[in-house]
Amino acid sequence: MKRLFTVTTILAGLLAAAPAAAQDKLSVMLDWFVNPDHAPLIVAQEKGFFKDAGLDVTLTAPADPNDPPKLVAAGGADLAISYQPQQIIQVAEGLPLVRVGTLVSTPLNAVVVLRDGPVKSLKDLKGRKVGFSIAGFEDALLGAMLEKHGLSLTDVTLVNVNFSLSPSLLSGQVDAVVGAFRNFELNQMDIEKHPGRAFYPEEEGVPPYDELIVVAHKDKTGDARIKRFLDAVERATLYILNHPEEAQAAFVKGRPELNDELNRRAWADTLPRFSHSPAALDSARYTRFAEFLKARGLIKTVEPVERYAVVVK
């Protein structure tokens, strides 16, 4: 009995002295600077959920928001946060990308006007100026929304305001903007005492889509790290829903610039939009949106969903 105790004690000491299992490194490019849209990623990092999944995750904000998918396609990063509409278009253009997860499962994009301005409905945009940031999807989205009200893109003047969406609206440079994120621009305008009015694509003729997705190289979908990453993101999302105050404290830890009124409002508005099951895929929904992109002339054919979106197992 004494000998058994001694052996057990020795084994326990050896196990205690053994180094912790190595963490698998995983690089993730964000779509933009850190903001509440990335809350599940930051919370998973801060609460140790990635570590529990055996991952050493590096989250990097891009110098150019167009770069992350290209970096993944070129093997410069393991994963990237991107946008469903752009990803389908990029795959059609030949980028070897596949959607492996969803971060924000509803559109955030909106057409925004001043609440006390002359535009009360989309029909009131006739003859007016509309600002945009990125040509292609945004004007296609606007065109579909206008058509529901008997208008077309020829009835408005499109103005490229780059990423100066709400400032161009507040200054009177344009009468409306497309591409504004409802969880940010609307709050920013309200804080500046110029409240806005939003028209939502999914209510104006555009099929619903996932705003933020996780993309990987099409040849890397069998990488076991991806499943563990998505499991940790799901765990973080549920933690945020169950413990919003503690989760927000973790989100702003070491990031005082995110603890201002705008980001606190955006946090509250973004919470209900996170995918509760990041790895899940609604193939019919993706096909429907691809058909919309084809109808708007942004892709030539509707490929099988597995060509650009998969469920990682």
Side-chain angles (χ1 to χ4, degrees):
M1 190 71 178
K2 183 177 179 181
R3 182 178 180 180
L4 178 61
F5 173 79
T6 302
V7 172
T8 302
T9 303
I10 293 173
L11 287 174
L14 290 173
L15 289 172
Q23 303 284 301
D24 292 327
K25 293 184 179 298
L26 187 73
S27 58
V28 181
M29 290 293 300
L30 303 179
D31 58 301
W32 196 240
F33 54 85
V34 174
N35 62 74
D37 292 345
H38 307 126
L41 305 179
I42 303 301
V43 170
Q45 190 84 288
E46 293 293 339
K47 299 301 294 183
F49 299 157
F50 286 143
K51 184 178 180 181
D52 290 347
L55 297 174
D56 178 6
V57 176
T58 301
L59 303 172
T60 305
D64 182 335
N66 294 308
D67 287 347
K70 298 175 185 177
L71 283 170
V72 169
D78 296 312
L79 300 172
I81 305 302
S82 191
Y83 310 89
Q84 181 191 337
Q86 282 84 346
Q87 186 256 348
I88 295 176
I89 294 170
Q90 289 166 341
V91 170
E93 293 172 344
L95 279 187
L97 298 173
V98 65
R99 170 267 177 211
V100 294
T102 299
L103 193 60
V104 175
S105 60
T106 75
L108 294 176
N109 209 323
V111 172
V112 174
V113 301
L114 290 171
R115 186 186 299 171
D116 59 359
V119 180
K120 307 302 181 186
S121 74
L122 288 174
K123 185 174 290 188
D124 295 330
L125 287 177
K126 185 173 183 179
R128 301 187 184 276
K129 296 179 181 179
V130 181
F132 70 95
S133 294
I134 303 172
F137 174 64
E138 287 182 1
D139 47 3
L141 179 146
L142 176 63
M145 296 173 72
L146 291 173
E147 286 177 11
K148 186 180 177 183
H149 297 268
L151 302 178
S152 71
L153 288 175
T154 60
D155 290 306
V156 302
T157 300
L158 292 173
V159 180
N160 189 337
V161 298
N162 294 311
F163 291 99
S164 185
L165 291 171
S166 54
S168 67
L169 184 58
L170 296 177
S171 68
Q173 181 183 353
V174 295
D175 303 293
V177 292
V178 59
F181 270 19
R182 64 193 71 172
N183 56 338
F184 275 94
E185 270 79 7
L186 286 177
N187 282 312
Q188 184 177 34
M189 292 170 67
D190 190 61
I191 290 170
E192 295 182 16
K193 309 301 181 185
H194 294 286
R197 180 194 312 275
F199 301 100
Y200 304 121
E202 65 273 24
E203 297 178 358
E204 301 289 351
V206 178
Y209 59 90
D210 296 340
E211 191 67 61
L212 290 182
I213 60 173
V214 183
V215 298
H217 192 288
K218 70 180 182 65
D219 294 335
K220 301 294 181 65
T221 57
D223 189 331
R225 295 175 301 168
I226 298 177
K227 178 65 166 60
R228 285 148 52 197
F229 171 82
L230 294 173
D231 286 346
V233 172
E234 179 176 336
R235 183 181 173 191
T237 302
L238 295 176
Y239 181 85
I240 291 169
L241 296 174
N242 292 335
H243 310 281
E245 292 182 4
E246 294 91 335
Q248 187 175 25
F251 175 71
V252 302
K253 182 182 178 182
R255 304 174 185 85
E257 71 280 4
L258 297 178
N259 197 20
D260 61 7
E261 184 177 1
L262 174 58
N263 280 283
R264 285 192 293 271
R265 288 193 187 193
W267 170 276
D269 287 348
T270 312
L271 254 58
R273 301 184 179 279
F274 291 125
S275 173
H276 295 180
S277 182
L281 173 66
D282 185 337
S283 295
R285 191 174 190 237
Y286 268 65
T287 297
R288 189 166 61 244
F289 195 78
E291 290 170 345
F292 167 79
L293 294 178
K294 180 177 183 294
R296 305 309 304 184
L298 294 176
I299 60 176
K300 293 181 179 179
T301 60
V302 177
E303 299 283 353
V305 174
E306 58 269 22
R307 169 100 161 75
Y308 56 87
V310 299
V311 176
V312 177
K313 300 179 181 178

